[in-house]
């Protein structure tokens, strides 16, 4: 047999120097740092890559489309669609970067699409549930209890994320508004407070006093507050109040969005207040709470009050 033909795919692999996983991660994370991505985003990439390698049982830079398809098929037996899509988004960013910068000859994610997932109803709290929650928190009569009440009011008033709340410093509170600096998209924004929240926040700051940290919300030892402890405490309040729904920062965020939509806020203003990067998530909120929008239409519809006479 002669050697006049082209080299086989396997033979080409021997000749062409390929980047290994360690080198690929180094250049990818360097780019993440240069783009000033949040530490949490970089940690997300690291965790997802580690999980993918474990399931693929081979280096990521050696994977082909069929390997990723096999990963999806096997993952569907073990984890939720949302979790699979989260992993696929991380892999897409990784492979797109490597292919764009000519570290890979082909992009194995090119024809891989996210899995379709059924849109689930987002739980929100009703008036009675919010009142019951506040009543449960107030039973404590402690600094931590009062702090948690104020945290609840800030969440419901502003719809900020847990990471954003943790990042608030005392100087960021300005009368009827708060400057949110530690945002997901790195763009500072302003959120506004009702009179009730303003009054309670002023009382909290007075009780808080001067401590060693500038963070607004502190723990009982006067140190920075751990975000996990907030989730744990509100889960505890939910149980004590006998509320069947989930109770936490995301529930408060969704509750704020729903109440403002029902009150008549426009989608663009809501998008700005919530810190969404585009309108897609905001539109989803509007669609999810369609029945409430329907009632608003019945009340304020453009044809309401007009009298028509048949010709």
């Amino acid at each position: 047999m002669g050697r006049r033909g082209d080299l086989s795919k396997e033979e080409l692999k021997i000749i062409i120097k390929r980047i290994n996983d360690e080198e690929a991660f180094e250049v990818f994370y360097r780019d993440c740092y240069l783009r000033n991505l949040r530490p949490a985003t970089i940690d997300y990439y690291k965790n997802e890559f580690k999980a993918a390698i474990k399931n693929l049982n081979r280096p990521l830079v050696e994977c082909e489309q069929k390997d990723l398809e096999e990963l999806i098929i096997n993952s569907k037996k073990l984890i939720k669609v949302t979790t699979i899509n989260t992993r696929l988004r991380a892999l897409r960013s990784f492979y797109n970067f490597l292919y764009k910068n000519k570290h890979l000859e082909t992009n194995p994610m090119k024809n891989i699409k996210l899995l379709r997932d059924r849109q689930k109803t987002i739980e929100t709290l009703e008036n009675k549930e919010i009142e019951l929650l506040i009543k449960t928190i107030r039973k404590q009569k402690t600094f931590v209890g009062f702090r948690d009440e104020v945290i609840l009011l800030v969440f419901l008033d502003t719809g900020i994320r847990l990471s954003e709340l943790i990042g608030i410093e005392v100087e960021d509170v300005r009368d009827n508004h708060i400057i949110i600096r530690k945002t997901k998209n790195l763009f500072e924004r302003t959120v506004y407070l009702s009179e009730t929240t303003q009054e309670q926040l002023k009382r909290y700051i007075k009780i808080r006093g001067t401590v060693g940290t500038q963070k607004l919300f502190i723990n009982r030892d006067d140190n920075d507050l751990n975000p996990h402890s907030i989730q744990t405490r509100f889960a505890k309040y939910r149980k004590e109040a006998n509320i069947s729904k989930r109770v936490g920062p995301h529930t408060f965020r969704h509750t704020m969005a729903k109440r403002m939509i029902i009150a008549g806020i426009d989608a663009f203003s809501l998008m700005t207040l919530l810190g969404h990067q585009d309108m897609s998530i905001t539109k989803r909120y509007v669609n999810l709470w369609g029945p409430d929008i329907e009632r608003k239409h019945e009340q304020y519809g453009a044809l309401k009050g007009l009298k028509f006479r048949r010709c």
Side-chain angles (χ1 to χ4, degrees):
M1 181 176 179
R3 292 182 176 268
R4 294 184 178 84
D6 293 338
L7 292 172
S8 69
K9 192 175 181 181
E10 294 303 318
E11 288 171 332
L12 284 171
K13 286 182 179 180
I14 297 173
I15 297 174
I16 300 172
K17 183 182 182 303
R18 299 190 63 173
I19 192 171
N20 60 37
D21 270 5
E22 186 177 349
E23 294 168 334
F25 293 146
E26 184 179 347
V27 293
F28 178 74
Y29 294 136
R30 182 175 184 274
D31 180 69
C32 290
Y33 289 122
L34 288 174
R35 289 189 288 131
N36 200 29
L37 296 190
R38 296 186 310 145
T41 302
I42 297 174
D43 287 341
Y44 148 67
Y45 285 137
K46 290 180 178 179
N47 292 332
E48 295 303 332
F49 297 159
K50 184 178 179 181
I53 292 171
K54 183 179 178 181
N55 286 281
L56 287 163
N57 199 28
R58 67 181 305 177
L60 292 185
V61 294
E62 294 181 10
C63 289
E64 299 177 357
Q65 180 175 321
K66 60 182 177 63
D67 298 309
L68 299 179
E69 290 172 347
E70 195 66 27
L71 172 67
I72 293 172
I73 292 171
N74 292 333
S75 297
K76 286 179 69 176
K77 304 171 186 175
L78 304 171
I79 56 181
K80 296 178 180 178
V81 170
T82 51
T83 308
I84 297 174
N85 283 338
T86 297
R87 188 153 301 156
L88 291 177
R89 289 188 185 96
L91 291 172
R92 176 180 289 170
S93 297
F94 179 65
Y95 286 121
N96 284 351
F97 169 80
L98 294 179
Y99 179 70
K100 179 181 177 182
N101 289 276
K102 304 187 185 311
H103 295 298
L104 292 179
E105 290 185 343
T106 58
N107 184 350
M109 277 294 296
K110 180 181 178 182
N111 298 315
I112 301 284
K113 291 182 170 52
L114 298 181
L115 304 185
R116 292 184 61 185
D117 191 18
R118 183 175 56 184
Q119 294 292 338
K120 299 173 184 176
T121 302
I122 297 177
E123 285 188 329
T124 57
L125 299 175
E126 303 299 329
N127 285 3
K128 289 183 179 180
E129 292 167 324
I130 295 172
E131 291 165 0
L132 181 57
L133 202 54
I134 291 176
K135 184 178 179 181
T136 300
I137 295 173
R138 284 181 175 174
K139 287 179 181 178
Q140 297 183 88
K141 302 188 185 304
T142 61
F143 168 76
V144 170
F146 184 61
R147 178 206 68 193
D148 291 347
E149 178 187 335
V150 176
I151 286 175
L152 171 60
L153 292 175
V154 172
F155 271 137
L156 288 174
D157 228 355
T158 65
I160 59 176
R161 302 176 177 91
L162 175 58
S163 59
E164 294 173 337
L165 179 121
I166 291 295
I168 298 174
E169 297 189 355
V170 176
E171 66 175 13
D172 297 328
V173 181
R174 315 281 178 83
D175 295 325
N176 72 331
H177 64 276
I178 300 176
I179 307 298
I180 304 299
R181 305 185 190 280
K182 303 293 184 180
T183 63
K184 188 174 181 180
N185 57 16
L186 301 181
F187 290 103
E188 290 185 7
R189 72 180 190 280
T190 301
V191 294
Y192 299 90
L193 307 171
S194 64
E195 289 185 8
T196 299
T197 303
Q198 288 179 58
E199 291 172 2
Q200 292 296 76
L201 193 49
K202 286 177 183 176
R203 294 187 180 106
Y204 166 76
I205 292 174
K206 189 173 182 179
I207 294 172
R208 174 192 180 279
T210 302
V211 295
T213 177
Q214 292 301 311
K215 292 293 170 58
L216 176 62
F217 294 110
I218 57 176
N219 61 24
R220 67 185 74 202
D221 298 316
D222 293 343
N223 296 319
D224 292 359
L225 191 56
N226 187 309
H228 180 68
S229 68
I230 295 179
Q231 295 170 312
T232 302
R233 291 194 65 80
F234 278 108
K236 172 178 168 287
Y237 295 139
R238 179 199 68 80
K239 189 174 181 180
E240 291 177 3
N242 197 28
I243 296 174
S244 60
K245 299 174 183 175
R246 290 182 62 183
V247 171
H250 260 78
T251 310
F252 302 142
R253 182 172 168 83
H254 297 149
T255 300
M256 174 270 197
K258 178 179 180 180
R259 293 170 74 88
M260 295 203 80
I261 288 172
I262 294 172
I265 192 171
D266 64 278
F268 181 78
S269 296
L270 181 61
M271 180 186 77
T272 303
L273 288 174
L274 291 175
H276 288 157
Q277 290 181 277
D278 57 63
M279 192 69 75
S280 59
I281 300 175
T282 314
K283 285 181 178 178
R284 185 189 170 205
Y285 286 165
V286 174
N287 292 334
L288 278 172
W289 298 310
D292 297 298
I293 300 300
E294 182 180 346
R295 283 195 288 272
K296 293 290 289 186
H297 181 270
E298 290 176 359
Q299 186 177 358
Y300 300 112
L303 299 183
K304 189 174 180 63
L306 295 177
K307 295 180 181 179
F308 291 95
R309 186 174 66 184
R310 290 181 180 274
C311 295

